[in-house]
């Protein structure tokens, strides 16, 4: 099965700074690369995703970059705000879009 | 905006009892999933369901688990004889069709087995 690793496991940033989370995966057949945000006690919510034929995608303050050769993709959050504090999960998938979640990164934005 | 809904939000049961967790996927979605998340851990895939049959299941989804789509709207997860280690948040998710990868998650059912 897919082996997914996220780094770092925790990230503390000053409000206004950038945050970057990296996700590595093992299955070269993975073709869909989403990032989910989960606030305490809430459902995972899709914040951005990218397909294997695209290298980068941006949506306002959030961007995802994909390096298929190296089998990793990263989440970039710019101009962080307190409401960005949450746990972020990468969840690459193959085929029937069975998501394989990483262990999560707890992001804390300090005001 | 349409949402995946799950009931109940919390379920407390005694070890060995049967539980049924209920989900109503988004109405035009065709692919359905159950995931679970043990407190403080990552979300784990349990099972995917399409065209009234299981398409894939994980090692966690053993003979104690079953899924059913009893009518056109509900999607249920049954655990026949609960164990302490079944305590977790269970999320239902759905996806519209084979051309769209986006999974939408329900708000979850917190299952506590005592």
């Amino acid at each position: 099965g897919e082996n997914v690793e996220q780094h770092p496991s925790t990230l503390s940033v000053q409000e206004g700074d950038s945050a970057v989370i990296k996700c590595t995966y093992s299955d070269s057949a993975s073709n869909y690369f989403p990032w989910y945000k989960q606030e305490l006690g809430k459902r995972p919510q899709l914040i951005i995703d990218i397909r294997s034929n695209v290298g980068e995608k941006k949506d306002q303050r959030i961007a995802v970059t994909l390096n298929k050769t190296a089998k990793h993709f990263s989440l970039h959050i710019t101009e962080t705000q307190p409401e960005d504090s949450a746990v972020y999960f990468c969840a690459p998938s193959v085929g029937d879009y069975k998501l394989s979640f990483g262990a999560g990164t707890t992001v804390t934005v300090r005001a | 905006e349409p949402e995946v809904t799950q009931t109940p939000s919390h379920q407390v049961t005694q070890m060995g009892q049967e539980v049924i967790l209920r989900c109503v996927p988004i109405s035009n979605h065709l692919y359905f999933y159950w995931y679970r998340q043990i407190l403080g851990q990552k979300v784990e895939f349990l099972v995917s369901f399409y065209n009234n049959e299981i398409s894939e299941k994980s090692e966690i989804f053993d003979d104690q688990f079953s899924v059913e789509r009893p009518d056109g709207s509900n999607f249920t997860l049954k655990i026949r004889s609960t164990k302490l280690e079944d305590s977790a948040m269970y999320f239902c998710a759905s996806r519209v069709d084979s051309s769209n990868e986006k999974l939408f998650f329900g708000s979850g059912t917190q299952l506590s087995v005592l």
Side-chain angles (χ1 to χ4, degrees), chain B residues 13-20 36 60 62-66 77-87 90 111 113-114:
Chain B
T13 190
Q14 294 291 324
M15 190 170 56
Q17 295 296 304
E18 174 184 287
V19 294
I20 296 176
R36 79 171 187 190
I60 303 167
D62 62 21
D63 292 346
Q64 294 301 310
F65 290 84
S66 63
L77 174 69
K78 181 193 291 186
I79 309 174
R80 265 180 269 282
S81 177
T82 50
K83 303 188 283 283
L84 296 176
E85 53 265 38
D86 293 329
S87 296
Y90 287 80
L111 177 65
V113 182
L114 306 179

Side-chain angles (χ1 to χ4, degrees), chain A residues 58-63 76-81 83-84:
Chain A
K58 190 172 180 181
D59 182 5
Q60 298 182 359
R61 296 186 298 108
I62 295 172
H76 305 255
I77 307 173
T78 58
E79 299 170 31
T80 51
Q81 301 168 4
E83 52 264 37
D84 295 329

Side-chain angles (χ1 to χ4, degrees), chain A residues 4 31-32 36 38 41-46 49 51 57 89 93 95-104, chain B residues 3-4 31 33 35 37 41-43 45 48 55-56 89 91 95 98 100-107:
Chain A
V4 180
N31 55 5
Y32 175 62
Y36 281 83
Q38 187 179 32
K42 301 276 185 72
R43 76 188 80 190
Q45 289 203 302
L46 177 68
D49 58 5
R51 291 165 189 79
K57 182 177 177 180
F89 293 96
S93 76
D96 191 32
Y97 306 110
K98 178 194 80 173
L99 304 179
S100 298
F101 281 79
Chain B
E3 283 191 341
V4 176
Y31 291 78
Y33 304 80
Y35 287 79
Q37 185 177 31
Q41 297 186 24
K42 67 179 179 181
V43 179
F45 169 77
S48 58
S55 47
E56 190 170 355
M89 178 73 90
F91 291 105
R95 176 165 69 92
S98 58
N100 192 326
E101 308 94 334
K102 295 184 193 298
L103 250 65
F104 294 87
F105 283 83
S107 53

